[in-house]
Amino acid sequence: MASCRASIDSFRAKEDLFFARFSGARATEYADCALYGEVAFCMAGLKPCVLVDLDRALVEAYLQAVVLPWIDEQEQQEQKQEQENPQRGEPALWRVVRCVLDTPEMRQSPAVFVAGPRTSRRVDQALMAGVAYESQLATLLDYPGGLPEDAAQVATMLEVVYVDRARDNKLMTTFACQQDEQHNVVQHFQRYRHAMAPYGIDLALMMRRPV
């Protein structure tokens, strides 16, 4: 767990440095865009993959400054462990997967995902085939709620936020749900909270109406 915690902290440090370049309104805009928590959940085997959900103009710079250097670090660690223990089997690789989102919210939109060592072949195949439904995207990202599908659901939508109390309430993930999905969200949160505790992450849950 110590090495996983160090890997998670390394991703966070690179990401914090990347977003520190922005100030004013842009800094506020990007405050909830950090993927540190999503990557931590993927590393723990909770989340099948991570969507790099940033402005299209920012995605490539983010990959070059944060994701790809971090993946290189993970590969170097794997190579070192393989040298120390040649019998440990195939290395566990992180990778960038590019595909197309063609959902009602995102028509023919290029998308970038980060897949981890625990990402299944089935998920890889689904990403390569493209994502056509909001429900499919929610499953790939392990979200227990979904975006509203009509005006009535907009009126009953809640914003769900998980934060890490051990890291100054650092945002870990955020997603939408309907009011009648709150029980599913609580069960999802309890599972995540229990799984992340050994990593030194103390999750807390907030649900609120969007502002």
Side-chain angles (χ1 to χ4, degrees):
M1 289 297 178
S3 62
C4 291
R5 178 73 251 185
S7 294
I8 293 169
D9 285 343
S10 174
F11 189 95
R12 178 187 178 183
K14 287 177 173 56
E15 188 172 62
D16 285 348
L17 186 62
F18 178 79
F19 285 119
R21 70 179 69 181
F22 302 107
S23 59
R26 294 195 74 187
T28 302
E29 177 185 351
Y30 294 135
D32 291 346
C33 292
L35 297 179
Y36 150 78
E38 305 283 350
V39 170
F41 297 150
C42 190
M43 179 174 286
L46 294 167
K47 182 179 286 290
C49 57
V50 177
L51 173 63
V52 181
D53 189 16
L54 297 171
D55 290 344
R56 190 175 301 179
L58 203 61
V59 168
E60 293 303 325
Y62 180 87
L63 291 176
Q64 295 297 325
V66 181
V67 176
L68 295 178
W70 182 79
I71 288 177
D72 286 343
E73 280 185 4
Q74 307 315 301
E75 291 179 350
Q76 291 171 14
Q77 291 176 11
E78 287 289 339
Q79 291 171 2
K80 180 179 179 181
Q81 292 175 8
E82 187 177 6
Q83 291 172 355
E84 295 172 350
N85 182 12
Q87 306 301 319
R88 66 189 301 267
E90 289 294 321
L93 301 178
W94 289 83
R95 54 214 179 271
V96 171
V97 181
R98 298 176 185 269
C99 74
V100 174
L101 299 180
D102 192 20
T103 70
E105 289 286 326
M106 293 169 277
R107 289 296 188 188
Q108 288 294 314
S109 177
V112 176
F113 290 81
V114 178
R118 300 189 184 186
T119 302
S120 69
R121 183 180 298 274
R122 178 182 59 81
V123 170
D124 275 333
Q125 292 172 342
L127 291 175
M128 296 304 295
V131 180
Y133 303 99
E134 293 290 348
S135 59
Q136 183 186 8
L137 183 60
T139 299
L140 288 169
L141 300 177
D142 194 42
Y143 289 151
L147 293 171
E149 297 180 358
D150 53 41
Q153 288 193 352
V154 170
T156 58
M157 184 180 76
L158 295 173
E159 180 185 12
V160 181
V161 181
Y162 295 179
V163 299
D164 182 5
R165 290 185 293 196
R167 298 293 186 278
D168 299 321
N169 288 326
K170 174 79 172 180
L171 177 73
M172 298 296 284
T173 190
T174 181
F175 54 89
C177 79
Q178 291 295 300
Q179 291 180 5
D180 60 4
E181 295 175 322
Q182 291 182 72
H183 178 69
N184 294 340
V185 170
V186 170
Q187 288 185 324
H188 181 271
F189 168 75
Q190 296 290 1
R191 179 165 59 90
Y192 271 51
R193 187 173 191 274
H194 176 76
M196 298 310 299
Y199 294 84
I201 293 174
D202 182 16
L203 288 182
L205 166 67
M206 294 184 290
M207 284 190 280
R208 62 197 181 194
R209 286 284 300 148
V211 293

